[in-house]
Amino acid sequence: MMEETKLWQWSVFRSLLAIIQWWGFNVTVIIMNKWIFQKLDFKFPLSVSCVHFICSAIGAYLMIKVLKLKPLIAVDPEDRWRRIFPMSFVFCINIVLGNVSLRYIPVSFMQTIKSFTPATTVFLQWLVWRKYFDLRIWFSLVPIVGGILLTSVTELSFNMFGFCAALFGCLATSTKTILAESLLHGYKFDSINTVYYMAPFATMILAIPAMLLEGNGVLEWLHTHQSVCSSLIIIFSSGVMAFCLNFSIFYVIHSTTAVTFNVAGNLKVAVAVLVSWLIFRNPISGLNAVGCAITLVGCTFYGYVRHMLSQQPPGTPQTPRTPRNLIELLPLVNDKIDDKV
């Protein structure tokens, strides 16, 4: 009995430690990126994304090949181009759009819009992949959509370009998660192996556009900005933190249950919003805060409904629905793991 109590206490402590370090790395990456764009005046999201990809690729190589902390999941050369490359392209778009949105809108608004991902995932699977969902899933999305609408209408620092980038980022995240089910079928990737294969491709995809679109601006910034060395240290440190975030995701997934992970993911957004407001002091109206809260509560409720439906034994009567296709395609995948940078 004593040993069981100690094991339970260790399990709780391990889960809390995993969640706290995940929150820490996630919030740090978001705040550092916003600091780079706003305080350092380095307004080049493609270049920042490129730095993140390079640091993540190097970090994953060191973890797998040098330190051997994770076994390498072997992938056929043909599959690298046929499966990994398309995933890397969507992965690249997802991260770039996130950084672009962060360049133009406050962290609080961007994080709230990112919580729209469950709704875009369900909608895309229904519209494109003809996947059908229990009515309870659709009803659970109502507070998410309502909260996003209220937040958008009452946002005091609203920027249409940043808003669209964040919204399309949600679509890219949903597409990435859905495609992972089909393109990576047969490969059980963890977050480190995912970065090991995708980050080099993402760097290759983004390097030329970054040089063409932002090269001259970066060179001008290097010549005119004060304290270039300390600023570059911050920029590259954000890349190191981005890789650490991937490792923390791997750790928290293996240390918590699905329900705990869902709740912790939504609380993480609240922590990021609070910390960003304390640092940047962007104006937030009362209704805007209410909209953000409704969205996060909706995301938690959506995760709870999904979990309850997944626990139902086979043959349990479902909400009646009229099928449009005899084949149920892809299962609803975990749309909270969209933090990889």
Side-chain angles (χ1 to χ4, degrees), residues 34 101-102 104-111 155 157-158 282-283:
K34 187 63 178 177
S101 67
L102 204 56
Y104 291 98
I105 59 177
V107 172
S108 55
F109 191 30
M110 187 270 272
Q111 286 287 292
E155 175 57 48
S157 305
F158 186 86
N282 56 287

Side-chain angles (χ1 to χ4, degrees), residues 170-197:
C170 288
L171 290 171
T173 301
S174 299
T175 305
K176 174 175 67 76
T177 0
I178 294 169
L179 287 179
E181 284 287 328
S182 54
L183 290 178
L184 303 184
H185 180 70
Y187 292 105
K188 293 187 177 180
F189 281 123
D190 53 66
S191 57
I192 304 300
N193 273 276
T194 300
V195 172
Y196 177 83
Y197 283 108

Side-chain angles (χ1 to χ4, degrees), residues 188-246:
K188 293 187 177 180
F189 281 123
D190 53 66
S191 57
I192 304 300
N193 273 276
T194 300
V195 172
Y196 177 83
Y197 283 108
M198 290 189 187
F201 275 134
T203 305
M204 181 178 69
I205 292 167
L206 191 58
I208 294 176
M211 285 189 289
L212 291 176
L213 296 174
E214 298 180 348
N216 291 332
V218 171
L219 290 175
E220 183 181 346
W221 180 87
L222 288 170
H223 284 100
T224 58
H225 186 73
Q226 297 178 347
S227 307
V228 172
C229 289
S230 60
S231 297
L232 287 176
I233 289 172
I234 294 174
I235 292 170
F236 280 94
S237 294
S238 74
V240 175
M241 289 294 105
F243 168 73
C244 292
L245 173 59
N246 287 284

Side-chain angles (χ1 to χ4, degrees), residues 33 36-37 42 44-58 91-93 95-97 99-100 195 198-212 214-215 218 235-236 238-240 242-243 341:
N33 285 356
I36 288 166
F37 295 136
F42 190 83
F44 310 106
L46 299 186
S47 300
V48 171
S49 301
C50 235
V51 169
H52 287 189
F53 292 143
I54 292 169
C55 291
S56 295
I58 294 171
F91 169 73
C92 178
I93 292 174
I95 299 305
V96 168
L97 287 174
N99 283 331
V100 168
V195 172
M198 290 189 187
F201 275 134
T203 305
M204 181 178 69
I205 292 167
L206 191 58
I208 294 176
M211 285 189 289
L212 291 176
E214 298 180 348
V218 171
I235 292 170
F236 280 94
S238 74
V240 175
F243 168 73
V341 182

